[in-house]
């Protein structure tokens, strides 16, 4: 049967086709992709779900600066249909095994009036959505070109509800706005809140992953996969006609991409379902990325970590900087500067963090502010801010690593680049060698500020290549990367599994700078996390920052239990316990969940989900009979329905439930929680009340007679 | 006496001065520098030579983008006068010892209405000219600023004759135009000949070093010294009023410098004399540069070298590229490409070069085209063109280095970056490590094309820093740098003596692309070489390229003897014998001069000089009783007067004179020469006829009875 199909395809390939329209159906029959060359040989595609349009006929095309454009004048040369059904195992992830099942349509287009130049459009139709890309084969008349703009359209079928942040070349750290598409233009100014080093596109536009919901209950997510050697895509919004179109990030001279054939653009992705849980469960973006080429991945290991970090956000407690001076140079003798008395990364402080990590099963300790240069690191578009190898006078790298390693934990490196990518690349080999010499397994990189090379943007082609270069070079040194302020992820962690986490969104730090909206983390998994894991840095137990008596009136807008739930709902293989150890020691029974929770998974079960409202997820720990559940809600209290059918049948388990106590709420009583143990089986279910911006966290292990003794059994 | 002066100065420093004008005189009394705050507290300077104005009252000032400008509103806070008279020894050079004698005036200016902000103007008045710079001390109200433009004026006293090339942000490879200042605007278009990756300033402007001659015989040279962390300076030309003013090279976003205090600008230099020989003899620019900070310089050694290079310019002979394909990527398997059959850097060819070098006392063999990427290296603004470590399939690095080293010679590395500085920096450590692993002592770097970071220029601040970074990093690996297409030199080889040579001008390669003007090399020492040695790559014996029968009608516009003379007149510690060895084997008696000539010197004697007309120079070899003389002329034949008084008195020497033969001329009979030996003493002189664009070369050694026997004695 298989042989027969391949033969048929070969025939199609050999025969130029005269038809102008093509169509494929997803393996499960629910999705339909149509392709057609319309007026002047201009390519269009359309996408249906259960026979209802998701994307109406939308144009495809790329305009070049120095060669005739790839917009029209096409004829179909050949088409090829392919069906693929395979599985693969990620190095780490939400599942041990990932299914990759799709119908592929490859259309070779020819431009007879441009020296028979050819391009290809490759569509992959999965059961949960569509991916497609432009391909430019190597050919005599097409070696190099410069992109002026990509004109891929997404013509939507109605005035959908959309969870969006403004299109911007430099930052993803906006708060989400929930509105109708038609309301985007009027809300644009308000949504474009001040962010360090922002470059808003300047007309109505949104970023991807863009999450929408139609009035008839269809969930639609637009993003991209495998962003390599190409600028990141924003979406221009034609609010009147409900048309999105690609807006690529320009470089310093306004160009949008330097292309050498053969070349494939990133995939444009549309994940679609009438069940929101399918959006979170989708592996479409990962499947569209290439397998890793790393031969040895044994050194890539998910980690749980604490860090000298949150205390920098608690006003007045401690500082990254060591000295009071505000004008320093790398060649300065820092021992001669004036200590400000509040430096966070001191030997003493770090040893205390190491002690805590060792006592509580944390794998690593991130230390920010360990290296010289923080006195004037921001706002000056300065190139040589950091050298990544010189510690402050009160930070002894050798001593601290020895101290940590003796206790079975490791320090995690911090490379804030202040967005000076040139300075970082120049020093990269030395910085990584320093890490190897001192047994650092991972580094958190940061890109705060205006990019150097000056005129480039965080999301431009050059920077996209930079992040990948850093990941690849890190792999040469067996180092894991956790990048902050880098371009939003597009599933590249399949190809570069040592690029283990990213920030690229509004994370916990903003809880100390105005607070995150209570619904923020019910949106992030539908948006930012579609591309890959996020180093959201959960785990803040002391949510009222006035506690510190430093004059701060800031407040983390969650209950304590919601912070616990994040360890399951906010997937990251590099997962932080972000609060100050002192606070964990005040709530040791709650901290037990963080100690227990896994960071790598055999399987994931999306139990409940509605973007902007709630998420409940269960996961099975990798290679262990341990399950963890997290459930969160927005500003409204709710009752989560937790069905334990994800557990193996016929066995008994102990579920430890960490739940908001009666009367808890994020704004008034966030630290009220109960911890209850139940006996559960695969037939059990739990109706669990969550406070306003509250959450529930559950750890599950196999029951023994002794542990089950006296516990209530959940039906 | 000395103590008394210092005491006086200290008093001046302590007392705010009320006077608005200052004046100093050069140690020899010939030059006078005046300074005055004129209207609105705006600073001006003026320069006199022998009581005649050289520079009329000219404004000083810098405009900033983000802070109030440094143009006026100044008061003099303090002034300080200093006299310095020292000597120092360069690592290599035209002299063993360099005298550094000047009168210094340091003026501290204060801006009372800008929070008492202060800057300093430092003038150093030498016997042969003036250097001055702006200094921005670290202070509470001035940490960072961005330069919009520097407005330093040079108001000239008349419509001088000037030897000029158009102001350009990216190239120094223009042919010189000789004209009146007033004629510059009308000649601008014609002078702006097409050059790869050029960015002409766009209005009348010239580059420095700018060489002028007044109608009353004053020679004036304007340039800059110690160009560090600042863009290179062009000169706007106000042809009507004979005013030059600084025009800094902008970056990708139009800014002209990112400054962090404390900071000093490069020195603006004016070398002046009524004897053209003093211009060539000047060490003013070197003296204004900082001594090297390298602790060990023993590994820095001047070299004479040949190279697989000129044959690429002889049409059709051989190519840098290995394959016929015109679209390659670094990840391609080059063994699978189609050899073009003309690849120059083959094992066989390089071994022949090694054999020649070893047989003829050459120290090194440069090999261009050894590494993958040349098939499409130019014109595509491509970033990853070269990796600097992967040889072509027909070039065996290990074998060739072993072959060379066994014969006592070394291969010289070639790093063409195709102006992709980011790619080079990214790979720099690996490239240099590769060189160390394979015993390469030096590298010729190249920057052909449009700069990456895109939008930067060859002469912008970022690139200026790049070249220095490469030199410093090379020093860490004990590697010498010979940069081509880099920013013009400003004496930085004192500070970075491993940055041993540069091109940065129109060199021998252009003899194969239209030919250099016969007067070109009588101008270069007065312009380009004022900043430092030039890898001009002399030594072309086969000047008529039709000789090769490849259809080329190109012609090198010199006689053979003028090529010999270049080894003395075109100073470089890295000196090439640029022709193909086969040609040297056809003229072994003439090649003897190249074999004999030194590349490092105890002393230098400028015997005759007139810019655009002729130059005759004698030099004494470093640490050896050997002298060499070179004399050249422009398109006119002439008789050089060579006075041997530079020789030690009371001794006899043998002078071997390589001279144009009767009837020789650059365009009709360039290879006609005579070699004559004479006995000479310090009292001898020689009147030597030079052909049109001809030259004379003389090597001198101590006479013995035997060697002197039968030779004519010159009176």
């Amino acid at each position: 049967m298989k042989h027969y199909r391949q033969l048929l395809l070969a025939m199609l390939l050999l025969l130029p086709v005269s038809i102008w329209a093509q169509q494929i159906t997803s393996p499960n029959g629910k999705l339909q992709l149509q392709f057609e060359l319309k007026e002047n040989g201009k390519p269009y595609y359309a996408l249906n779900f259960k026979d209802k349009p998701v994307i109406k006929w939308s144009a495809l095309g790329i305009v070049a600066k120095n060669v005739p454009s790839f917009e029209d004048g096409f004829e179909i040369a050949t088409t090829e249909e392919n069906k693929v059904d395979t599985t693969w195992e990620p190095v780490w992830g939400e599942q041990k095994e990932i299914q990759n099942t799709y119908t592929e349509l490859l259309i070779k287009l020819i431009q007879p009036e441009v020296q028979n130049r050819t391009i290809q459009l490759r569509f992959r139709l999965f059961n949960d959505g569509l991916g497609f890309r432009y391909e430019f084969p190597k050919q005599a008349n097409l070696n190099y070109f410069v992109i002026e703009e990509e004109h891929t359209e997404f013509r939507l079928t109605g005035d959908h509800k959309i969870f969006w942040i403004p299109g911007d070349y430099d930052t993803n750290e906006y708060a989400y706005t929930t509105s109708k598409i038609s309301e985007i233009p009027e809300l644009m100014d308000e949504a474009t809140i001040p962010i360090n080093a922002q470059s808003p596109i300047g007309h109505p536009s949104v970023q991807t992953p863009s999450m929408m919901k139609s009035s008839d209950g269809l969930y639609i997510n637009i993003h991209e996969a495998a962003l390599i050697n190409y600028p990141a895509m924003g979406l221009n919004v034609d609010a009147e006609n409900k048309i999105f179109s690609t807006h690529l990030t320009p470089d310093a001279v306004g160009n949008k991409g330097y292309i050498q054939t053969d070349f494939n653009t990133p995939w444009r992705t549309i994940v679609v379902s009438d069940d929101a849980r399918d959006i979170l469960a989708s592996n479409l973006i990962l499947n569209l990325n290439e397998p890793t080429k790393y031969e040895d991945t044994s050194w890539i290991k998910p980690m749980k970590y604490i860090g000298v970090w949150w205390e920098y956000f608690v006003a007045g407690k401690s500082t990254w900087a060591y000295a009071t001076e505000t004008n320093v140079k790398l060649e300065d003798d820092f021992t001669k500067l004036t200590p400000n008395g509040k430096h966070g990364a001191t030997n003493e402080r770090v040893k205390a963090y190491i002690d805590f990590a060792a006592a509580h099963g944390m794998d690593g300790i991130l230390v920010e502010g360990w290296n010289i240069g923080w006195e004037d690191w921001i706002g000056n578009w300065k190139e040589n801010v950091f050298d990544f190898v010189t510690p402050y006078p009160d930070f002894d790298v050798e001593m601290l690593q020895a101290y940590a390693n003796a206790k079975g934990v490791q320090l995690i490196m911090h490379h804030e680049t202040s967005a000076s990518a040139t300075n970082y690349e120049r020093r990269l080999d030395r910085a990584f060698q320093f890490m190897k010499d001192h047994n650092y397994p991972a580094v958190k990189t940061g890109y705060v500020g205006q990019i150097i090379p000056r005129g480039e943007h965080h999301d431009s082609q050059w920077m996209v290549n930079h992040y990948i270069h850093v990941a690849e070079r890190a792999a040469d040194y067996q180092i894991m990367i956790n990048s902050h302020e880098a371009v939003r992820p597009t599933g590249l962690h399949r190809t570069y599994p040592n690029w283990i986490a990213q920030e690229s969104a509004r994370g916990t730090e903003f809880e100390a700078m105005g607070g995150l909206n209570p619904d923020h983390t019910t949106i992030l998994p539908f948006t930012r996390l579609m591309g890959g894991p996020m180093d959201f840095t959960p785990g803040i137990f002391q949510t009222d920052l006035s506690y510190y008596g430093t004059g701060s009136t800031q407040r983390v807008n969650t209950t304590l239990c919601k912070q616990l739930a994040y360890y399951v709902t906010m997937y990251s293989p590099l997962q932080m316990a972000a609060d100050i150890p002192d606070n964990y020691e005040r709530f040791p029974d709650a901290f037990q969940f963080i100690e227990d929770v896994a960071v790598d998974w055999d399987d994931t079960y999306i139990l409940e989900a509605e973007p902007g409202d709630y998420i409940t997820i269960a996961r099975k720990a990798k290679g262990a009979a341990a399950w963890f559940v997290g459930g969160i809600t927005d500003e409204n209290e709710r009752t989560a329905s937790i069905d334990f059918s994800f557990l193996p049948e016929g066995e008994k388990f102990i579920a430890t439930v960490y739940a908001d106590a009666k009367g808890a709420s994020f704004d008034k009583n966030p630290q009220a929680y109960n911890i209850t143990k139940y006996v559960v089986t695969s037939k059990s279910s739990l109706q669990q009340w969550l406070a306003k911006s509250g959450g529930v966290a559950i750890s599950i292990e196999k029951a023994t007679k002794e542990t089950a003794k006296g516990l209530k059994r959940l039906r």
Side-chain angles (χ1 to χ4, degrees), chain A:
Chain A
M1 183 62 185
K2 207 177 173 190
H3 271 113
Y4 172 75
R5 186 166 58 78
Q6 286 191 335
L7 184 64
L8 181 66
L9 290 174
M11 285 172 62
L12 280 174
L13 269 175
L14 292 170
L15 297 173
V17 291
S18 55
I19 42 171
W20 289 71
Q22 299 287 326
Q23 177 172 317
I24 53 171
T25 303
S26 64
N28 65 0
K30 288 185 185 169
L31 282 154
Q32 194 181 52
L33 175 275
Q34 294 172 292
F35 176 83
E36 198 172 306
L37 288 180
K38 295 187 188 277
E39 79 286 354
N40 302 323
K42 189 172 171 65
Y44 284 81
Y45 77 103
L47 180 66
N48 292 346
F49 176 79
K50 293 183 179 172
D51 296 327
K52 284 194 297 189
V54 179
I55 304 291
K56 299 192 288 186
W57 283 110
S58 297
L60 298 167
I62 288 179
V63 176
K65 281 201 162 177
N66 53 346
V67 301
S69 285
F70 308 93
E71 284 211 299
D72 51 25
F74 287 112
E75 292 176 8
I76 294 180
T78 59
T79 68
E80 180 181 340
E81 190 179 327
N82 244 308
K83 287 181 192 301
V84 169
D85 185 3
T86 59
T87 57
W88 58 278
E89 290 183 11
V91 176
W92 45 262
E94 296 177 89
Q95 275 124 359
K96 187 173 58 183
E97 199 174 77
I98 292 177
Q99 187 116 10
N100 183 25
T101 307
Y102 60 84
T103 307
E104 178 174 274
L105 175 63
L106 177 63
I107 298 173
K108 186 174 173 183
L109 297 176
I110 191 165
Q111 279 177 308
E113 292 181 17
V114 190
Q115 302 173 294
N116 284 324
R117 209 174 54 172
T118 63
I119 69 167
Q120 296 178 164
L121 292 169
R122 190 182 297 269
F123 296 91
R124 287 189 181 162
L125 195 57
F126 298 80
N127 288 335
D128 56 359
L130 171 68
F132 63 89
R133 71 180 181 190
Y134 303 82
E135 299 184 351
F136 299 89
K138 198 189 268 198
Q139 54 199 290
N141 298 315
L142 189 61
N143 287 317
Y144 291 92
F145 63 98
V146 176
I147 291 178
E148 183 174 305
E149 188 58 281
E150 176 182 329
H151 291 301
T152 301
E153 288 182 342
F154 305 87
R155 290 181 175 253
L156 303 161
T157 59
D159 194 9
H160 304 334
K161 182 180 178 180
I162 177 167
F163 304 86
W164 61 278
I165 57 177
D168 193 293
Y169 302 145
D170 276 296
T171 183
N172 321 110
E173 297 190 354
Y174 290 106
Y176 283 94
T177 300
T178 306
S179 75
K180 296 277 187 192
I181 292 172
S182 59
E183 295 166 336
I184 291 175
E186 69 200 68
L187 293 170
M188 207 68 214
D189 275 355
E190 192 183 339
T192 311
I193 53 178
I195 305 263
N196 180 275
Q198 68 195 139
S199 300
I201 285 180
H203 59 251
S205 61
V206 297
Q207 294 191 32
T208 73
S210 175
M211 187 68 221
M212 289 171 277
K213 184 182 184 183
S214 72
S215 57
D216 54 353
L218 212 57
Y219 299 87
I220 304 161
N221 185 287
I222 297 178
H223 190 35
E224 59 183 312
L227 174 60
I228 297 175
N229 198 15
Y230 203 77
M233 167 182 78
L235 295 173
N236 300 316
V237 174
D238 175 348
E240 192 181 335
N241 299 302
K242 318 296 175 292
I243 304 170
F244 289 176
S245 59
T246 43
H247 182 113
L248 302 179
T249 306
D251 76 352
V253 297
N255 290 333
K256 299 203 163 183
Y258 301 83
I259 307 300
Q260 177 183 4
T261 60
D262 55 343
F263 179 80
N264 306 324
T265 69
W267 299 90
R268 279 62 188 95
T269 63
I270 305 159
V271 179
V272 57
S273 177
D274 49 12
D275 184 336
R277 296 178 301 176
D278 294 341
I279 307 297
L280 298 187
S282 176
N283 283 311
L284 183 147
I285 286 170
L286 264 185
N287 277 325
L288 288 171
N289 277 272
E290 295 297 314
T292 184
K293 291 193 185 97
Y294 298 165
E295 286 176 19
D296 174 19
T297 57
S298 62
W299 50 276
I300 302 172
K301 287 175 182 153
M303 291 176 85
K304 218 181 300 174
Y305 72 104
I306 59 170
V308 182
W309 178 76
W310 180 245
E311 59 184 69
Y312 297 135
F313 292 92
V314 179
K317 191 161 171 60
S318 61
T319 59
W320 284 274
Y322 162 82
T324 58
E325 284 80 358
T326 55
N327 174 350
V328 302
K329 295 178 181 176
L330 286 172
E331 58 268 30
D332 289 347
D333 180 351
F334 277 72
T335 65
K336 302 230 169 100
L337 301 185
T338 316
N340 66 14
K342 288 184 170 184
H343 183 219
T346 65
N347 290 326
E348 188 187 12
R349 192 92 191 106
V350 173
K351 279 168 81 173
Y353 273 80
I354 291 170
D355 291 343
F356 179 87
H360 294 279
M362 301 288 111
D363 306 301
I365 303 99
L366 168 72
V367 186
E368 299 202 359
W370 71 277
N371 59 326
I372 61 169
W374 287 94
E375 285 71 15
D376 59 356
W377 71 287
I378 198 171
N380 300 311
W381 224 356
K382 174 179 172 177
E383 185 165 23
N384 293 305
V385 177
F386 298 108
D387 70 3
F388 313 104
V389 295
T390 306
Y392 275 127
D394 54 354
F395 185 89
D396 184 337
V397 178
E398 281 78 9
M399 181 276 287
L400 288 169
Q401 274 289 9
Y403 187 82
N405 295 174
K407 297 195 168 210
V409 294
Q410 287 181 296
L411 294 188
I412 293 176
M413 176 51 79
H414 185 229
H415 290 165
E416 174 55 50
T417 68
S418 67
S420 179
T422 49
N423 179 53
Y424 193 37
E425 292 204 0
R426 196 176 271 173
R427 300 172 189 272
L428 196 63
D429 282 4
R430 283 169 282 177
F432 285 162
Q433 188 58 52
F434 182 89
M435 285 180 63
K436 286 319 278 181
D437 292 344
H438 296 95
N439 196 29
Y440 284 88
V443 56
K444 172 179 170 179
T445 61
Y447 293 89
V448 175
Q450 282 183 284
I451 293 292
I452 305 179
R454 297 187 182 94
E456 292 286 346
H457 294 289
H458 284 73
D459 297 348
S460 62
Q461 184 189 28
W462 195 89
M463 283 301 294
V464 163
N465 290 342
H466 164 81
Y467 307 121
I468 292 172
H469 167 67
V470 170
E472 285 187 313
R473 199 76 190 114
D476 293 338
Y477 291 82
Q478 300 200 331
I479 286 169
M480 296 183 284
I481 302 282
N482 167 20
S483 59
H484 281 228
E485 299 91 21
V487 68
R488 48 201 169 277
T490 57
L492 285 172
H493 52 292
R494 179 179 180 188
T495 312
Y496 309 102
N498 66 318
W499 193 356
I500 196 162
Q502 291 195 240
E503 182 192 44
S504 307
R506 197 172 185 84
T508 294
E509 62 187 1
F510 283 95
E511 295 280 22
M513 298 184 283
L516 297 172
N517 294 332
D519 67 355
H520 187 67
T521 46
T522 67
I523 297 170
L524 277 179
F526 286 96
T527 52
R528 159 64 185 78
L529 273 77
M530 291 297 291
M534 177 172 175
D535 186 35
F536 180 75
T537 68
I540 306 301
F541 280 12
Q542 184 51 52
T543 51
D544 178 358
L545 304 192
S546 71
Y547 168 83
Y548 297 99
T550 56
S552 172
T553 58
Q554 297 288 318
R555 174 177 274 284
V556 178
N557 289 326
T558 72
T559 66
L560 188 151
C561 282
K562 191 175 183 180
Q563 293 286 329
L564 294 182
Y566 286 162
Y567 288 85
V568 184
T569 63
M570 299 294 285
Y571 171 64
S572 182
L574 206 66
Q575 196 66 285
M576 189 177 201
D579 209 341
I580 300 161
D582 306 354
N583 293 325
Y584 293 142
E585 281 164 352
R586 292 163 53 214
F587 304 94
D589 56 351
F591 187 71
Q592 189 63 46
F593 181 81
I594 299 178
E595 261 191 77
D596 295 340
V597 71
V599 286
D600 199 11
W601 309 101
D602 273 343
D603 223 332
T604 287
Y605 314 89
I606 313 296
L607 305 182
E608 301 183 302
E610 180 64 25
D613 291 343
Y614 57 84
I615 291 172
T616 311
I617 296 177
R619 305 188 196 265
K620 179 183 176 296
K622 194 119 172 197
W627 291 257
F628 298 88
V629 180
I632 61 170
T633 181
D634 61 5
E635 68 280 8
N636 302 309
E637 57 184 321
R638 80 177 286 263
T639 299
S641 285
I642 300 163
D643 181 337
F644 290 86
S645 60
F646 57 82
L647 291 171
E649 287 181 23
E651 291 186 72
K652 282 185 190 166
F653 302 88
I654 308 290
T656 306
V657 179
Y658 302 73
D660 297 320
K662 196 178 167 189
S665 76
F666 75 96
D667 51 353
K668 298 214 175 62
N669 192 15
Q671 291 173 329
Y673 59 88
N674 296 318
I675 302 173
T676 315
K677 289 179 184 284
Y678 301 99
V679 170
V680 297
T681 71
S682 64
K683 300 196 190 314
S684 301
S685 68
L686 173 65
Q687 300 299 308
Q688 179 62 52
W689 176 80
L690 311 184
K692 291 178 180 178
S693 199
V696 58
I698 307 175
S699 63
I700 303 166
E701 55 182 357
K702 285 196 180 175
T704 64
K705 270 187 190 166
E706 284 166 10
T707 57
K709 198 169 175 185
L711 296 184
K712 181 183 171 189
R713 178 161 173 177
L714 281 186
R715 299 288 157 187

